[in-house]
Amino acid sequence: MFAGTALCIAVMMTSAFGPNRPEMPGLSELLQVTVEPHVVNITKDKNNLLQNRLTLRIQNIGDSPLYHGKTLWTTNAAKATVSFDFCHNSSCLTCDDRECLMAANGWNIKYQIHVPMYTPWYISDAGVGYQHPQWTVSPSKTNIDILGPQGAKESSVAFDFFNIITLLPPGETNMYVRFHGFPYDETRTYEDANFKIPFVKK
């Protein structure tokens, strides 16, 4: 009797966690995250401010949609947080404090969805309570794939950050994109993934 019970439990565990259950890859393996262009132009004359635009692109490079479930996912947690380096030296995009020229202040960076967009996502600022500016991008709950498979027009999404003005010295700086809470299927969630994308000011 006990041997039969043990065999039954073993079969159930094999069915739930064994070879029939697909292994879940990481978002760092499935996503290509880029910023274009790779150069931000520095303002050298305060009477002639140079505005820059950066486009963040998130691309699924896997052979399947990002979401593998059969029913619409329902979590509110799926989002990616976007930020830059803010300070007063060459390693930062621009400054964001009271000593910063108002027009070049990081809090004045604007954002929008890059068009055309073939899969519904949103972008917003992260709200109050943060020391430095940051933004949130997230898929619509009506978007069952989240991102389509590689090669499909729904496989990528992009966002524009503009009104970027910097008076800081030349140097390399970074964009950071942190993914959290993305569902793999009805019961599993991808591990969080962090991307650091370098670009230069000159």
Side-chain angles (χ1 to χ4, degrees):
M1 175 179 176
F2 291 106
T5 302
L7 178 61
C8 179
I9 292 173
V11 170
M12 289 174 64
M13 291 183 66
T14 301
S15 176
F17 303 106
N20 293 329
R21 188 175 175 88
E23 182 179 348
M24 183 172 61
L27 286 176
S28 58
E29 304 170 49
L30 294 174
L31 296 180
Q32 183 178 70
V33 182
T34 58
V35 62
E36 298 174 351
H38 300 293
V39 175
V40 165
N41 295 306
I42 297 170
T43 290
K44 298 180 179 178
D45 179 0
K46 292 182 180 179
N47 296 314
N48 183 26
L49 299 175
L50 299 179
Q51 293 194 15
N52 295 273
R53 176 186 297 260
L54 293 172
T55 298
L56 163 66
R57 184 171 298 279
I58 303 169
Q59 173 89 40
N60 180 11
I61 56 174
D63 294 329
S64 303
L66 211 59
Y67 180 66
H68 291 253
K70 303 301 183 184
T71 60
L72 279 173
W73 51 277
T74 58
T75 178
N76 290 319
K79 66 179 182 179
T81 302
V82 183
S83 60
F84 298 95
D85 289 313
F86 293 106
C87 65
H88 285 268
N89 61 48
S90 62
S91 66
C92 291
L93 174 60
T94 187
C95 45
D96 64 349
D97 57 21
R98 293 180 180 179
E99 298 178 14
C100 191
L101 180 72
M102 181 61 69
N105 196 297
W107 292 100
N108 289 324
I109 294 175
K110 302 184 185 303
Y111 56 88
Q112 66 183 17
I113 292 170
H114 184 83
V115 293
M117 174 176 278
Y118 298 105
T119 184
W121 281 57
Y122 304 111
I123 181 170
S124 64
D125 60 63
V128 298
Y130 294 94
Q131 183 178 359
H132 301 289
Q134 55 182 281
W135 301 265
T136 298
V137 299
S138 56
S140 166
K141 285 186 179 180
T142 63
N143 180 0
I144 189 167
D145 287 343
I146 299 182
L147 288 174
Q150 178 179 210
K153 62 183 180 181
E154 299 87 3
S155 66
S156 71
V157 65
F159 305 92
D160 296 326
F161 296 86
F162 58 102
N163 197 40
I164 300 171
I165 299 170
T166 183
L167 290 82
L168 298 182
E172 185 175 282
T173 187
N174 301 288
M175 172 189 278
Y176 303 91
V177 187
R178 301 172 175 88
F179 292 83
H180 171 75
F182 279 76
Y184 175 82
D185 57 23
E186 287 87 350
T187 60
R188 291 182 289 174
T189 302
Y190 289 102
E191 289 188 3
D192 293 356
N194 299 321
F195 292 82
K196 177 181 176 181
I197 310 104
F199 59 97
V200 297
K201 309 187 314 296
K202 69 176 187 178

